[in-house]
mmCIF file with all atom_site columns, all heavy atoms in Angstrom:
data_model
loop_
_atom_site.group_PDB
_atom_site.id
_atom_site.type_symbol
_atom_site.label_atom_id
_atom_site.label_alt_id
_atom_site.label_comp_id
_atom_site.label_asym_id
_atom_site.label_entity_id
_atom_site.label_seq_id
_atom_site.pdbx_PDB_ins_code
_atom_site.Cartn_x
_atom_site.Cartn_y
_atom_site.Cartn_z
_atom_site.occupancy
_atom_site.B_iso_or_equiv
_atom_site.pdbx_formal_charge
_atom_site.auth_seq_id
_atom_site.auth_comp_id
_atom_site.auth_asym_id
_atom_site.auth_atom_id
_atom_site.pdbx_PDB_model_num
ATOM 1   N N   . CYS A 1 1  ? 1.437   58.382 -7.833  1.00 91.00 ? 1  CYS A N   1
ATOM 2   C CA  . CYS A 1 1  ? 0.588   58.726 -6.723  1.00 91.00 ? 1  CYS A CA  1
ATOM 3   C C   . CYS A 1 1  ? -0.103  57.502 -6.051  1.00 91.00 ? 1  CYS A C   1
ATOM 4   O O   . CYS A 1 1  ? -1.230  57.484 -5.647  1.00 91.00 ? 1  CYS A O   1
ATOM 5   C CB  . CYS A 1 1  ? -0.494  59.713 -7.161  1.00 91.00 ? 1  CYS A CB  1
ATOM 6   S SG  . CYS A 1 1  ? 0.079   61.306 -7.788  1.00 91.00 ? 1  CYS A SG  1
ATOM 7   N N   . ILE A 1 2  ? 0.681   56.385 -6.027  1.00 92.00 ? 2  ILE A N   1
ATOM 8   C CA  . ILE A 1 2  ? 0.170   55.165 -5.430  1.00 92.00 ? 2  ILE A CA  1
ATOM 9   C C   . ILE A 1 2  ? 1.106   54.681 -4.391  1.00 92.00 ? 2  ILE A C   1
ATOM 10  O O   . ILE A 1 2  ? 2.324   54.708 -4.545  1.00 92.00 ? 2  ILE A O   1
ATOM 11  C CB  . ILE A 1 2  ? 0.065   54.008 -6.526  1.00 92.00 ? 2  ILE A CB  1
ATOM 12  C CG1 . ILE A 1 2  ? -0.735  54.479 -7.702  1.00 92.00 ? 2  ILE A CG1 1
ATOM 13  C CG2 . ILE A 1 2  ? -0.666  52.801 -5.880  1.00 92.00 ? 2  ILE A CG2 1
ATOM 14  C CD1 . ILE A 1 2  ? -0.830  53.467 -8.777  1.00 92.00 ? 2  ILE A CD1 1
ATOM 15  N N   . MET A 1 3  ? 0.593   54.236 -3.199  1.00 90.00 ? 3  MET A N   1
ATOM 16  C CA  . MET A 1 3  ? 1.379   53.682 -2.162  1.00 90.00 ? 3  MET A CA  1
ATOM 17  C C   . MET A 1 3  ? 1.759   52.222 -2.515  1.00 90.00 ? 3  MET A C   1
ATOM 18  O O   . MET A 1 3  ? 0.905   51.477 -3.068  1.00 90.00 ? 3  MET A O   1
ATOM 19  C CB  . MET A 1 3  ? 0.658   53.720 -0.821  1.00 90.00 ? 3  MET A CB  1
ATOM 20  C CG  . MET A 1 3  ? 0.398   55.143 -0.302  1.00 90.00 ? 3  MET A CG  1
ATOM 21  S SD  . MET A 1 3  ? -0.720  55.188 1.137   1.00 90.00 ? 3  MET A SD  1
ATOM 22  C CE  . MET A 1 3  ? -2.297  55.210 0.353   1.00 90.00 ? 3  MET A CE  1
ATOM 23  N N   . GLY A 1 4  ? 2.979   51.873 -2.265  1.00 90.00 ? 4  GLY A N   1
ATOM 24  C CA  . GLY A 1 4  ? 3.440   50.580 -2.629  1.00 90.00 ? 4  GLY A CA  1
ATOM 25  C C   . GLY A 1 4  ? 2.707   49.417 -1.984  1.00 90.00 ? 4  GLY A C   1
ATOM 26  O O   . GLY A 1 4  ? 2.663   48.287 -2.518  1.00 90.00 ? 4  GLY A O   1
ATOM 27  N N   . ASP A 1 5  ? 2.087   49.679 -0.823  1.00 90.00 ? 5  ASP A N   1
ATOM 28  C CA  . ASP A 1 5  ? 1.357   48.612 -0.083  1.00 90.00 ? 5  ASP A CA  1
ATOM 29  C C   . ASP A 1 5  ? -0.095  48.509 -0.535  1.00 90.00 ? 5  ASP A C   1
ATOM 30  O O   . ASP A 1 5  ? -0.824  47.603 0.017   1.00 90.00 ? 5  ASP A O   1
ATOM 31  C CB  . ASP A 1 5  ? 1.483   48.858 1.435   1.00 90.00 ? 5  ASP A CB  1
ATOM 32  C CG  . ASP A 1 5  ? 2.880   48.579 1.949   1.00 90.00 ? 5  ASP A CG  1
ATOM 33  O OD1 . ASP A 1 5  ? 3.285   47.402 1.853   1.00 90.00 ? 5  ASP A OD1 1
ATOM 34  O OD2 . ASP A 1 5  ? 3.473   49.493 2.467   1.00 90.00 ? 5  ASP A OD2 1
ATOM 35  N N   . GLU A 1 6  ? -0.579  49.337 -1.398  1.00 91.00 ? 6  GLU A N   1
ATOM 36  C CA  . GLU A 1 6  ? -1.936  49.142 -1.929  1.00 91.00 ? 6  GLU A CA  1
ATOM 37  C C   . GLU A 1 6  ? -1.972  47.966 -2.854  1.00 91.00 ? 6  GLU A C   1
ATOM 38  O O   . GLU A 1 6  ? -1.030  47.696 -3.575  1.00 91.00 ? 6  GLU A O   1
ATOM 39  C CB  . GLU A 1 6  ? -2.400  50.390 -2.707  1.00 91.00 ? 6  GLU A CB  1
ATOM 40  C CG  . GLU A 1 6  ? -2.555  51.656 -1.826  1.00 91.00 ? 6  GLU A CG  1
ATOM 41  C CD  . GLU A 1 6  ? -3.072  52.798 -2.660  1.00 91.00 ? 6  GLU A CD  1
ATOM 42  O OE1 . GLU A 1 6  ? -4.295  52.877 -2.921  1.00 91.00 ? 6  GLU A OE1 1
ATOM 43  O OE2 . GLU A 1 6  ? -2.291  53.714 -2.980  1.00 91.00 ? 6  GLU A OE2 1
ATOM 44  N N   . LEU A 1 7  ? -3.062  47.276 -2.918  1.00 93.00 ? 7  LEU A N   1
ATOM 45  C CA  . LEU A 1 7  ? -3.261  46.160 -3.835  1.00 93.00 ? 7  LEU A CA  1
ATOM 46  C C   . LEU A 1 7  ? -3.821  46.663 -5.138  1.00 93.00 ? 7  LEU A C   1
ATOM 47  O O   . LEU A 1 7  ? -4.635  47.629 -5.177  1.00 93.00 ? 7  LEU A O   1
ATOM 48  C CB  . LEU A 1 7  ? -4.167  45.068 -3.220  1.00 93.00 ? 7  LEU A CB  1
ATOM 49  C CG  . LEU A 1 7  ? -3.711  44.490 -1.895  1.00 93.00 ? 7  LEU A CG  1
ATOM 50  C CD1 . LEU A 1 7  ? -4.642  43.338 -1.486  1.00 93.00 ? 7  LEU A CD1 1
ATOM 51  C CD2 . LEU A 1 7  ? -2.328  43.968 -1.971  1.00 93.00 ? 7  LEU A CD2 1
ATOM 52  N N   . VAL A 1 8  ? -3.532  46.054 -6.305  1.00 95.00 ? 8  VAL A N   1
ATOM 53  C CA  . VAL A 1 8  ? -3.972  46.541 -7.543  1.00 95.00 ? 8  VAL A CA  1
ATOM 54  C C   . VAL A 1 8  ? -5.528  46.619 -7.574  1.00 95.00 ? 8  VAL A C   1
ATOM 55  O O   . VAL A 1 8  ? -6.088  47.664 -7.949  1.00 95.00 ? 8  VAL A O   1
ATOM 56  C CB  . VAL A 1 8  ? -3.430  45.605 -8.674  1.00 95.00 ? 8  VAL A CB  1
ATOM 57  C CG1 . VAL A 1 8  ? -4.079  45.907 -10.020 1.00 95.00 ? 8  VAL A CG1 1
ATOM 58  C CG2 . VAL A 1 8  ? -1.902  45.718 -8.792  1.00 95.00 ? 8  VAL A CG2 1
ATOM 59  N N   . GLY A 1 9  ? -6.154  45.523 -7.244  1.00 94.00 ? 9  GLY A N   1
ATOM 60  C CA  . GLY A 1 9  ? -7.605  45.518 -7.346  1.00 94.00 ? 9  GLY A CA  1
ATOM 61  C C   . GLY A 1 9  ? -8.273  46.511 -6.434  1.00 94.00 ? 9  GLY A C   1
ATOM 62  O O   . GLY A 1 9  ? -9.237  47.190 -6.780  1.00 94.00 ? 9  GLY A O   1
ATOM 63  N N   . GLU A 1 10 ? -7.725  46.596 -5.161  1.00 92.00 ? 10 GLU A N   1
ATOM 64  C CA  . GLU A 1 10 ? -8.273  47.556 -4.204  1.00 92.00 ? 10 GLU A CA  1
ATOM 65  C C   . GLU A 1 10 ? -8.109  48.985 -4.710  1.00 92.00 ? 10 GLU A C   1
ATOM 66  O O   . GLU A 1 10 ? -9.042  49.782 -4.578  1.00 92.00 ? 10 GLU A O   1
ATOM 67  C CB  . GLU A 1 10 ? -7.479  47.401 -2.854  1.00 92.00 ? 10 GLU A CB  1
ATOM 68  C CG  . GLU A 1 10 ? -7.925  46.163 -2.086  1.00 92.00 ? 10 GLU A CG  1
ATOM 69  C CD  . GLU A 1 10 ? -7.188  46.166 -0.751  1.00 92.00 ? 10 GLU A CD  1
ATOM 70  O OE1 . GLU A 1 10 ? -6.379  46.992 -0.483  1.00 92.00 ? 10 GLU A OE1 1
ATOM 71  O OE2 . GLU A 1 10 ? -7.548  45.207 0.055   1.00 92.00 ? 10 GLU A OE2 1
ATOM 72  N N   . ARG A 1 11 ? -6.943  49.316 -5.263  1.00 93.00 ? 11 ARG A N   1
ATOM 73  C CA  . ARG A 1 11 ? -6.743  50.678 -5.779  1.00 93.00 ? 11 ARG A CA  1
ATOM 74  C C   . ARG A 1 11 ? -7.757  51.061 -6.798  1.00 93.00 ? 11 ARG A C   1
ATOM 75  O O   . ARG A 1 11 ? -8.322  52.215 -6.757  1.00 93.00 ? 11 ARG A O   1
ATOM 76  C CB  . ARG A 1 11 ? -5.305  50.772 -6.355  1.00 93.00 ? 11 ARG A CB  1
ATOM 77  C CG  . ARG A 1 11 ? -5.031  52.012 -7.087  1.00 93.00 ? 11 ARG A CG  1
ATOM 78  C CD  . ARG A 1 11 ? -5.031  53.308 -6.155  1.00 93.00 ? 11 ARG A CD  1
ATOM 79  N NE  . ARG A 1 11 ? -4.682  54.476 -6.969  1.00 93.00 ? 11 ARG A NE  1
ATOM 80  C CZ  . ARG A 1 11 ? -4.093  55.497 -6.416  1.00 93.00 ? 11 ARG A CZ  1
ATOM 81  N NH1 . ARG A 1 11 ? -3.815  55.513 -5.164  1.00 93.00 ? 11 ARG A NH1 1
ATOM 82  N NH2 . ARG A 1 11 ? -3.796  56.564 -7.197  1.00 93.00 ? 11 ARG A NH2 1
ATOM 83  N N   . ILE A 1 12 ? -8.021  50.210 -7.789  1.00 94.00 ? 12 ILE A N   1
ATOM 84  C CA  . ILE A 1 12 ? -8.966  50.557 -8.825  1.00 94.00 ? 12 ILE A CA  1
ATOM 85  C C   . ILE A 1 12 ? -10.366 50.712 -8.235  1.00 94.00 ? 12 ILE A C   1
ATOM 86  O O   . ILE A 1 12 ? -11.067 51.738 -8.589  1.00 94.00 ? 12 ILE A O   1
ATOM 87  C CB  . ILE A 1 12 ? -9.046  49.437 -9.896  1.00 94.00 ? 12 ILE A CB  1
ATOM 88  C CG1 . ILE A 1 12 ? -7.628  49.200 -10.466 1.00 94.00 ? 12 ILE A CG1 1
ATOM 89  C CG2 . ILE A 1 12 ? -9.995  49.854 -10.977 1.00 94.00 ? 12 ILE A CG2 1
ATOM 90  C CD1 . ILE A 1 12 ? -6.979  50.367 -11.132 1.00 94.00 ? 12 ILE A CD1 1
ATOM 91  N N   . LEU A 1 13 ? -10.777 49.908 -7.331  1.00 93.00 ? 13 LEU A N   1
ATOM 92  C CA  . LEU A 1 13 ? -12.127 50.023 -6.695  1.00 93.00 ? 13 LEU A CA  1
ATOM 93  C C   . LEU A 1 13 ? -12.185 51.277 -5.826  1.00 93.00 ? 13 LEU A C   1
ATOM 94  O O   . LEU A 1 13 ? -13.267 51.897 -5.829  1.00 93.00 ? 13 LEU A O   1
ATOM 95  C CB  . LEU A 1 13 ? -12.439 48.736 -5.925  1.00 93.00 ? 13 LEU A CB  1
ATOM 96  C CG  . LEU A 1 13 ? -12.606 47.495 -6.736  1.00 93.00 ? 13 LEU A CG  1
ATOM 97  C CD1 . LEU A 1 13 ? -12.818 46.271 -5.843  1.00 93.00 ? 13 LEU A CD1 1
ATOM 98  C CD2 . LEU A 1 13 ? -13.838 47.650 -7.687  1.00 93.00 ? 13 LEU A CD2 1
ATOM 99  N N   . ASP A 1 14 ? -11.123 51.541 -5.127  1.00 91.00 ? 14 ASP A N   1
ATOM 100 C CA  . ASP A 1 14 ? -11.083 52.769 -4.270  1.00 91.00 ? 14 ASP A CA  1
ATOM 101 C C   . ASP A 1 14 ? -11.256 54.010 -5.165  1.00 91.00 ? 14 ASP A C   1
ATOM 102 O O   . ASP A 1 14 ? -11.908 54.983 -4.751  1.00 91.00 ? 14 ASP A O   1
ATOM 103 C CB  . ASP A 1 14 ? -9.850  52.849 -3.449  1.00 91.00 ? 14 ASP A CB  1
ATOM 104 C CG  . ASP A 1 14 ? -9.843  51.849 -2.287  1.00 91.00 ? 14 ASP A CG  1
ATOM 105 O OD1 . ASP A 1 14 ? -10.941 51.474 -1.842  1.00 91.00 ? 14 ASP A OD1 1
ATOM 106 O OD2 . ASP A 1 14 ? -8.754  51.488 -1.864  1.00 91.00 ? 14 ASP A OD2 1
ATOM 107 N N   . ALA A 1 15 ? -10.556 54.000 -6.331  1.00 91.00 ? 15 ALA A N   1
ATOM 108 C CA  . ALA A 1 15 ? -10.684 55.110 -7.238  1.00 91.00 ? 15 ALA A CA  1
ATOM 109 C C   . ALA A 1 15 ? -12.045 55.298 -7.779  1.00 91.00 ? 15 ALA A C   1
ATOM 110 O O   . ALA A 1 15 ? -12.584 56.350 -7.991  1.00 91.00 ? 15 ALA A O   1
ATOM 111 C CB  . ALA A 1 15 ? -9.614  54.961 -8.315  1.00 91.00 ? 15 ALA A CB  1
ATOM 112 N N   . ALA A 1 16 ? -12.708 54.179 -8.060  1.00 92.00 ? 16 ALA A N   1
ATOM 113 C CA  . ALA A 1 16 ? -14.060 54.176 -8.584  1.00 92.00 ? 16 ALA A CA  1
ATOM 114 C C   . ALA A 1 16 ? -15.075 54.584 -7.528  1.00 92.00 ? 16 ALA A C   1
ATOM 115 O O   . ALA A 1 16 ? -16.105 55.249 -7.811  1.00 92.00 ? 16 ALA A O   1
ATOM 116 C CB  . ALA A 1 16 ? -14.446 52.788 -9.152  1.00 92.00 ? 16 ALA A CB  1
ATOM 117 N N   . GLY A 1 17 ? -14.807 54.175 -6.264  1.00 88.00 ? 17 GLY A N   1
ATOM 118 C CA  . GLY A 1 17 ? -15.807 54.505 -5.218  1.00 88.00 ? 17 GLY A CA  1
ATOM 119 C C   . GLY A 1 17 ? -16.995 53.577 -5.235  1.00 88.00 ? 17 GLY A C   1
ATOM 120 O O   . GLY A 1 17 ? -17.991 53.830 -4.604  1.00 88.00 ? 17 GLY A O   1
ATOM 121 N N   . SER A 1 18 ? -16.959 52.500 -6.055  1.00 91.00 ? 18 SER A N   1
ATOM 122 C CA  . SER A 1 18 ? -18.028 51.562 -6.225  1.00 91.00 ? 18 SER A CA  1
ATOM 123 C C   . SER A 1 18 ? -17.467 50.158 -6.312  1.00 91.00 ? 18 SER A C   1
ATOM 124 O O   . SER A 1 18 ? -16.353 49.925 -6.713  1.00 91.00 ? 18 SER A O   1
ATOM 125 C CB  . SER A 1 18 ? -18.829 51.913 -7.461  1.00 91.00 ? 18 SER A CB  1
ATOM 126 O OG  . SER A 1 18 ? -19.441 53.208 -7.409  1.00 91.00 ? 18 SER A OG  1
ATOM 127 N N   . GLU A 1 19 ? -18.359 49.202 -6.025  1.00 92.00 ? 19 GLU A N   1
ATOM 128 C CA  . GLU A 1 19 ? -17.962 47.810 -6.153  1.00 92.00 ? 19 GLU A CA  1
ATOM 129 C C   . GLU A 1 19 ? -18.437 47.278 -7.521  1.00 92.00 ? 19 GLU A C   1
ATOM 130 O O   . GLU A 1 19 ? -19.597 47.561 -7.974  1.00 92.00 ? 19 GLU A O   1
ATOM 131 C CB  . GLU A 1 19 ? -18.666 46.965 -5.117  1.00 92.00 ? 19 GLU A CB  1
ATOM 132 C CG  . GLU A 1 19 ? -18.254 47.334 -3.671  1.00 92.00 ? 19 GLU A CG  1
ATOM 133 C CD  . GLU A 1 19 ? -16.868 46.779 -3.306  1.00 92.00 ? 19 GLU A CD  1
ATOM 134 O OE1 . GLU A 1 19 ? -16.265 46.096 -4.122  1.00 92.00 ? 19 GLU A OE1 1
ATOM 135 O OE2 . GLU A 1 19 ? -16.382 47.119 -2.146  1.00 92.00 ? 19 GLU A OE2 1
ATOM 136 N N   . PHE A 1 20 ? -17.547 46.618 -8.287  1.00 93.00 ? 20 PHE A N   1
ATOM 137 C CA  . PHE A 1 20 ? -17.928 46.031 -9.590  1.00 93.00 ? 20 PHE A CA  1
ATOM 138 C C   . PHE A 1 20 ? -16.898 45.005 -9.912  1.00 93.00 ? 20 PHE A C   1
ATOM 139 O O   . PHE A 1 20 ? -15.813 44.984 -9.309  1.00 93.00 ? 20 PHE A O   1
ATOM 140 C CB  . PHE A 1 20 ? -18.109 47.101 -10.645 1.00 93.00 ? 20 PHE A CB  1
ATOM 141 C CG  . PHE A 1 20 ? -16.830 47.799 -11.037 1.00 93.00 ? 20 PHE A CG  1
ATOM 142 C CD1 . PHE A 1 20 ? -16.115 47.362 -12.168 1.00 93.00 ? 20 PHE A CD1 1
ATOM 143 C CD2 . PHE A 1 20 ? -16.358 48.850 -10.348 1.00 93.00 ? 20 PHE A CD2 1
ATOM 144 C CE1 . PHE A 1 20 ? -14.945 47.977 -12.537 1.00 93.00 ? 20 PHE A CE1 1
ATOM 145 C CE2 . PHE A 1 20 ? -15.181 49.528 -10.723 1.00 93.00 ? 20 PHE A CE2 1
ATOM 146 C CZ  . PHE A 1 20 ? -14.453 49.077 -11.806 1.00 93.00 ? 20 PHE A CZ  1
ATOM 147 N N   . ASP A 1 21 ? -17.197 44.165 -10.849 1.00 93.00 ? 21 ASP A N   1
ATOM 148 C CA  . ASP A 1 21 ? -16.274 43.118 -11.315 1.00 93.00 ? 21 ASP A CA  1
ATOM 149 C C   . ASP A 1 21 ? -15.222 43.691 -12.239 1.00 93.00 ? 21 ASP A C   1
ATOM 150 O O   . ASP A 1 21 ? -15.522 44.178 -13.312 1.00 93.00 ? 21 ASP A O   1
ATOM 151 C CB  . ASP A 1 21 ? -17.031 42.038 -12.078 1.00 93.00 ? 21 ASP A CB  1
ATOM 152 C CG  . ASP A 1 21 ? -16.191 40.840 -12.477 1.00 93.00 ? 21 ASP A CG  1
ATOM 153 O OD1 . ASP A 1 21 ? -14.965 40.854 -12.148 1.00 93.00 ? 21 ASP A OD1 1
ATOM 154 O OD2 . ASP A 1 21 ? -16.694 39.926 -13.034 1.00 93.00 ? 21 ASP A OD2 1
ATOM 155 N N   . ILE A 1 22 ? -13.951 43.785 -11.728 1.00 94.00 ? 22 ILE A N   1
ATOM 156 C CA  . ILE A 1 22 ? -12.917 44.490 -12.479 1.00 94.00 ? 22 ILE A CA  1
ATOM 157 C C   . ILE A 1 22 ? -12.120 43.500 -13.302 1.00 94.00 ? 22 ILE A C   1
ATOM 158 O O   . ILE A 1 22 ? -11.080 43.903 -13.881 1.00 94.00 ? 22 ILE A O   1
ATOM 159 C CB  . ILE A 1 22 ? -11.989 45.284 -11.524 1.00 94.00 ? 22 ILE A CB  1
ATOM 160 C CG1 . ILE A 1 22 ? -11.304 44.334 -10.547 1.00 94.00 ? 22 ILE A CG1 1
ATOM 161 C CG2 . ILE A 1 22 ? -12.734 46.320 -10.802 1.00 94.00 ? 22 ILE A CG2 1
ATOM 162 C CD1 . ILE A 1 22 ? -10.279 44.983 -9.648  1.00 94.00 ? 22 ILE A CD1 1
ATOM 163 N N   . THR A 1 23 ? -12.474 42.268 -13.373 1.00 93.00 ? 23 THR A N   1
ATOM 164 C CA  . THR A 1 23 ? -11.735 41.229 -14.111 1.00 93.00 ? 23 THR A CA  1
ATOM 165 C C   . THR A 1 23 ? -11.517 41.578 -15.514 1.00 93.00 ? 23 THR A C   1
ATOM 166 O O   . THR A 1 23 ? -10.374 41.540 -16.010 1.00 93.00 ? 23 THR A O   1
ATOM 167 C CB  . THR A 1 23 ? -12.402 39.816 -13.957 1.00 93.00 ? 23 THR A CB  1
ATOM 168 O OG1 . THR A 1 23 ? -12.692 39.536 -12.605 1.00 93.00 ? 23 THR A OG1 1
ATOM 169 C CG2 . THR A 1 23 ? -11.539 38.755 -14.558 1.00 93.00 ? 23 THR A CG2 1
ATOM 170 N N   . ASP A 1 24 ? -12.582 41.947 -16.240 1.00 93.00 ? 24 ASP A N   1
ATOM 171 C CA  . ASP A 1 24 ? -12.468 42.201 -17.664 1.00 93.00 ? 24 ASP A CA  1
ATOM 172 C C   . ASP A 1 24 ? -11.601 43.490 -17.895 1.00 93.00 ? 24 ASP A C   1
ATOM 173 O O   . ASP A 1 24 ? -10.852 43.584 -18.891 1.00 93.00 ? 24 ASP A O   1
ATOM 174 C CB  . ASP A 1 24 ? -13.815 42.407 -18.314 1.00 93.00 ? 24 ASP A CB  1
ATOM 175 C CG  . ASP A 1 24 ? -14.614 41.124 -18.347 1.00 93.00 ? 24 ASP A CG  1
ATOM 176 O OD1 . ASP A 1 24 ? -13.997 40.066 -18.276 1.00 93.00 ? 24 ASP A OD1 1
ATOM 177 O OD2 . ASP A 1 24 ? -15.885 41.180 -18.429 1.00 93.00 ? 24 ASP A OD2 1
ATOM 178 N N   . LEU A 1 25 ? -11.748 44.437 -17.050 1.00 94.00 ? 25 LEU A N   1
ATOM 179 C CA  . LEU A 1 25 ? -11.023 45.733 -17.177 1.00 94.00 ? 25 LEU A CA  1
ATOM 180 C C   . LEU A 1 25 ? -9.580  45.499 -17.041 1.00 94.00 ? 25 LEU A C   1
ATOM 181 O O   . LEU A 1 25 ? -8.758  45.957 -17.853 1.00 94.00 ? 25 LEU A O   1
ATOM 182 C CB  . LEU A 1 25 ? -11.517 46.732 -16.149 1.00 94.00 ? 25 LEU A CB  1
ATOM 183 C CG  . LEU A 1 25 ? -10.798 48.097 -16.180 1.00 94.00 ? 25 LEU A CG  1
ATOM 184 C CD1 . LEU A 1 25 ? -10.980 48.816 -17.449 1.00 94.00 ? 25 LEU A CD1 1
ATOM 185 C CD2 . LEU A 1 25 ? -11.348 48.988 -14.986 1.00 94.00 ? 25 LEU A CD2 1
#
């Protein structure tokens, strides 16, 4: 359920609906 043109980091943040440091995750 992911579009190929989405970026990895953007997708995780869009799913969260919040801004946070996703580096460790």
Side-chain angles (χ1 to χ4, degrees):
C1 300
I2 309 177
M3 293 173 275
D5 287 299
E6 292 183 78
L7 302 185
V8 172
E10 285 183 355
R11 168 65 176 211
I12 304 301
L13 292 174
D14 287 334
S18 299
E19 299 284 356
F20 67 97
D21 186 359
I22 61 174
T23 306
D24 292 341
L25 179 61

